[in-house]
Amino acid sequence: MKREEELIEEALQGNHIAFEQLLHPYRNGVLNMVYRMTGNPEDAKEICQDALIKIYRYLRSFKKGRSFKNWVYKTVVNTARDFLKKQKKFDLLMEQQKNAADCETVNPEKHYLDAEIRENIQNCLQWLTPTERAVFCLRDGEGLSIKETASVLGCSSMGIRVHLSRARNKLRLQLGKIYPFKKNEVKK
Amino acid sequence: MNCRKVRRLLPLMPGDELPESKQAAITSHLEKCPGCRQEYAIYMASNQAVKTWLDKDRIEWNDFEWQRVVRTACRESAPEKRKPGFWPLKKSWSYASLVGVVVVLCLIIFWPQFTRKPPGAAPGAATGTKTQLLESKTLQPSQEIVAVELVSRKTGVKIHWFLNKNFNMEEIE
């Protein structure tokens, strides 16, 4: 497996295969992160497409020695934020998602369970601010470290901890409404 | 650590975002406090539940879709070429050169003012008119004269000099 610097050099010379190999490790991670932020798989793919165009266009401005992974995630997060600003309506996305789920007919039981899970997650995530949602998706969804998350979002590590703490607190409260935790049932 | 502090930090316990010293302090508090221990268990359970949901609700690119997306990205954009800048040097060197040029210009403009000689004798008092010092005295070299008034006997013109250096005065008859 070639190193990232070599792949970047080849991609800058017009080698599309090198560009594909460069982004291959991050393809599903960024897709799922955007999916969590938008709640719609089709919008997530569209945002990833736009982000890939930007990544390829500005590949030359990427400074050697820095983390390529953080740069990719940063570009994707900023593209998602711009998209959400234009969209503005998270409730509208929830409705579209519901309609899309109703159209699926492959396996009714699986479809019902999947839809319930998706709805539960989105019900919880909609109570988070955009920054809290991004922090939660990066840290708990994709497993990025605090430093990496701070680098992607342009915040300090302390700021990330604050947003993460608030996000988990809100999720805990929302989960308590969906599945009330009975004190005696919670094990150590 | 009291319960209020511990409960404020509990959301960060599931993911090990706290330094080891704080984790140890919280753990020792949890061993003694059943209320906080219950709350910690709820946080762990809720965090685990959300992670489980996130893992179940993952989407992936299929290979064909991914290849198409990459081909589209490469087709619709070309890597940005480095534009020839106004300054042939790197950005940091450009700023340093600019500062140097500004400093040199300031020196050229303001240096003559610092090295200017004090003004000489006034033309009216020096050209041919005999003047006499009013109340002239023989002064010690160490004394400093602030101002001198000269009066022409012939024309009666008065000249006021404001000085800041010592000089020797002579009476003119």
Side-chain angles (χ1 to χ4, degrees):
Chain A
M1 189 72 180
K2 288 183 183 176
R3 287 170 56 199
E4 269 181 1
E5 289 92 2
E6 293 169 4
L7 288 171
I8 290 171
E9 284 300 321
E10 289 183 21
L12 287 171
Q13 287 162 17
N15 188 341
H16 299 169
I17 296 171
F19 183 64
E20 192 272 329
Q21 285 178 1
L22 190 61
L23 292 173
H24 189 87
Y26 315 118
R27 63 180 200 172
N28 289 325
V30 297
L31 179 65
N32 279 288
M33 186 195 63
V34 178
Y35 172 48
R36 306 272 172 260
M37 288 175 73
T38 60
N40 188 320
E42 293 308 316
D43 285 343
K45 288 179 181 174
E46 190 184 328
I47 290 168
C48 286
Q49 172 79 77
D50 292 341
L52 249 65
I53 291 171
K54 285 182 188 175
I55 290 168
Y56 190 66
R57 184 178 296 158
Y58 298 113
L59 195 57
R60 196 175 292 279
S61 65
F62 172 71
K63 292 176 187 172
K64 289 179 186 176
R66 303 187 79 169
S67 168
F68 184 71
K69 177 184 174 185
N70 290 356
W71 186 68
V72 167
Y73 270 95
K74 192 171 192 171
T75 308
V76 174
V77 164
N78 288 338
T79 310
R81 277 176 169 169
D82 293 340
F83 181 88
L84 286 171
K85 273 183 195 171
K86 287 177 189 173
Q87 285 269 350
K88 284 188 186 175
K89 302 274 187 293
F90 187 78
D91 291 342
L92 180 61
L93 293 172
M94 288 279 289
E95 207 177 323
Q96 287 172 357
Q97 194 184 354
K98 233 179 180 177
N99 293 338
D102 289 341
C103 295
E104 292 181 26
T105 56
V106 176
N107 183 339
E109 190 180 338
K110 182 178 181 301
H111 156 68
Y112 176 76
L113 285 171
D114 288 349
E116 189 192 359
I117 290 169
R118 200 174 295 140
E119 194 174 338
N120 287 338
I121 296 173
Q122 296 305 333
N123 279 337
C124 294
L125 289 177
Q126 73 170 335
W127 290 101
L128 306 180
T129 64
T131 308
E132 288 168 1
R133 204 180 310 146
V135 169
F136 180 78
C137 294
L138 286 167
R139 179 79 186 101
D140 285 345
E142 299 309 315
L144 266 67
S145 68
I146 292 285
K147 275 189 178 176
E148 286 175 334
T149 309
S151 171
V152 167
L153 296 177
C155 302
S156 64
S157 298
M158 185 57 69
I160 296 295
R161 287 191 177 90
V162 169
H163 288 302
L164 189 62
S165 172
R166 286 177 188 164
R168 285 178 179 165
N169 211 11
K170 287 180 184 177
L171 287 172
R172 175 228 181 271
L173 291 170
Q174 289 307 312
L175 272 174
K177 291 176 187 175
I178 300 172
Y179 301 115
F181 292 102
K182 291 182 184 175
K183 287 192 176 180
N184 296 332
E185 289 179 4
V186 178
K187 296 176 187 176
K188 288 185 187 178
Chain B
M1 268 212 172
N2 56 34
C3 290
R4 194 169 63 90
K5 279 185 185 175
V6 166
R7 292 198 183 194
R8 210 174 61 218
L9 294 171
L10 276 181
L12 296 175
M13 280 293 282
D16 297 330
E17 277 93 20
L18 293 171
E20 285 183 12
S21 56
K22 278 197 176 154
Q23 282 186 18
I26 292 172
T27 307
S28 70
H29 176 88
L30 292 177
E31 284 169 5
K32 299 168 200 168
C33 179
C36 291
R37 197 164 50 235
Q38 187 76 31
E39 197 66 23
Y40 172 67
I42 293 173
Y43 268 111
M44 291 296 284
S46 69
N47 201 54
Q48 193 56 45
V50 175
K51 278 190 173 176
T52 307
W53 288 347
L54 290 177
D55 286 339
K56 280 184 182 175
D57 190 34
R58 287 187 77 85
I59 57 175
E60 287 184 1
W61 295 102
N62 65 52
D63 287 336
F64 176 73
E65 225 175 4
W66 173 247
Q67 298 290 340
R68 185 177 56 82
V69 162
V70 171
R71 272 201 304 273
T72 309
C74 296
R75 200 170 44 233
E76 290 200 13
S77 65
E80 190 190 49
K81 291 180 185 174
R82 191 173 284 160
K83 295 175 191 173
F86 172 72
W87 205 254
L89 303 171
K90 276 188 183 177
K91 216 176 182 181
S92 53
W93 282 101
S94 303
Y95 288 135
S97 308
L98 197 63
V99 168
V101 165
V102 167
V103 167
V104 167
L105 281 173
C106 287
L107 282 172
I108 291 169
I109 291 167
F110 295 112
W111 183 255
Q113 293 184 18
F114 292 119
T115 55
R116 194 180 296 169
K117 291 180 183 175
T127 52
T129 311
K130 289 186 182 175
T131 56
Q132 186 175 354
L133 291 169
L134 263 177
E135 299 177 330
S136 64
K137 294 176 183 175
T138 305
L139 300 169
Q140 299 298 323
S142 60
Q143 286 178 330
E144 204 172 45
I145 302 171
V146 177
V148 171
E149 191 180 85
L150 303 173
V151 182
S152 170
R153 269 192 179 175
K154 199 173 181 181
T155 60
V157 169
K158 284 186 185 176
I159 298 170
H160 298 274
W161 277 7
F162 294 93
L163 310 167
N164 59 0
K165 280 193 175 178
N166 297 333
F167 63 92
N168 291 327
M169 293 176 63
E170 292 180 3
E171 289 187 7
I172 302 169
E173 294 180 1

